Amino acid sequence: GWVAGAQFRQGFPQQGYATLRATARHTFDNAAGVVSEVFSGARNAWPAEAVAHQGFSSSAVILPLARGLLGLDGDAAAKSVRFAPQLPADWRELAADGFRLGAARFNFAYTRRSMTDGTRLGAPADEIVEIVVTSSGAAGFQLELAPGPELVDELRLEGELSLCALRERDERPLAGGRALHDGARGLA
């Protein structure tokens, strides 16, 4: 789990996803939802020094999934939430509902679809990326959006959330004619 998390964090999403999948396959090896913190090598046998019922055993799948693949993170005290998905190239859409920070609740929808006319230059493989974020109880929260190498064509915020930053993987602001839409306040 720690390796998958580090791979996502350091910008290696393909390797992080492969490691996450390999770790998740061990979820039901010995007991439901228990991933050993120690592996025995080629035999896939439960080593005597492994402890099955520790809370961190399931975090080997949950943390790299939530923070790495889905890119969800936040700080309730600082009133900030981050959505930075690092999805495999063949994933066309993602929905992550019910992400909570204190009393605030967030739902994220990510859609990547092919353009029909193919006239826009600079887009990876003529694709359009749309992100919709809905929130409740999130007054004062700031959203940092970091879609990695993807270009965001449409962003819709629904609820009390405001946009803090729209960033690429290298932390430079996105440039160009991308449309940003705020469902409640008409930001364009």
Side-chain angles (χ1 to χ4, degrees):
W2 298 116
V3 171
Q7 288 168 326
F8 280 114
R9 189 170 184 91
Q10 295 303 315
F12 297 100
Q14 291 175 317
Q15 294 86 342
Y17 182 61
T19 305
L20 173 61
R21 285 180 50 106
T23 305
R25 281 194 289 271
H26 291 288
T27 300
F28 301 102
D29 284 354
N30 299 290
V34 175
V35 179
S36 175
E37 79 277 16
V38 180
F39 292 99
S40 64
R43 292 185 293 142
N44 194 27
W46 190 283
E49 61 272 11
V51 180
H53 302 290
Q54 295 187 23
F56 64 79
S57 65
S58 58
S59 70
V61 174
I62 295 168
L63 286 177
L65 173 69
R67 289 190 176 162
L69 184 68
L70 303 180
L72 297 174
D73 203 357
D75 184 338
K79 292 196 171 217
S80 67
V81 62
R82 184 168 202 252
F83 182 54
Q86 298 185 69
L87 305 178
D90 61 341
W91 285 28
R92 309 306 292 164
E93 59 186 60
L94 162 77
D97 294 337
F99 184 64
R100 291 186 166 274
L101 291 169
R105 181 183 168 131
F106 304 92
N107 299 323
F108 300 91
Y110 173 99
T111 306
R112 183 174 54 208
R113 64 188 191 289
S114 297
M115 288 184 55
T116 55
D117 63 6
T119 59
R120 195 181 95 195
L121 298 176
D126 292 326
E127 293 182 332
I128 293 174
V129 174
E130 178 182 0
I131 296 176
V132 178
V133 182
T134 59
S135 62
S136 63
F141 268 82
Q142 296 279 312
L143 169 67
E144 180 182 345
L145 185 64
E150 298 290 342
L151 299 175
V152 177
D153 295 286
E154 185 173 335
L155 172 64
R156 196 168 70 236
L157 303 179
E158 299 173 357
E160 304 143 334
L161 187 64
S162 62
L163 184 64
C164 171
L166 184 62
R167 305 258 183 221
E168 286 191 51
R169 173 150 250 18
D170 64 1
E171 298 300 316
R172 290 179 302 174
L174 284 174
R178 262 86 73 223
L180 299 178
H181 300 283
D182 183 321
R185 294 176 287 281
L187 174 69

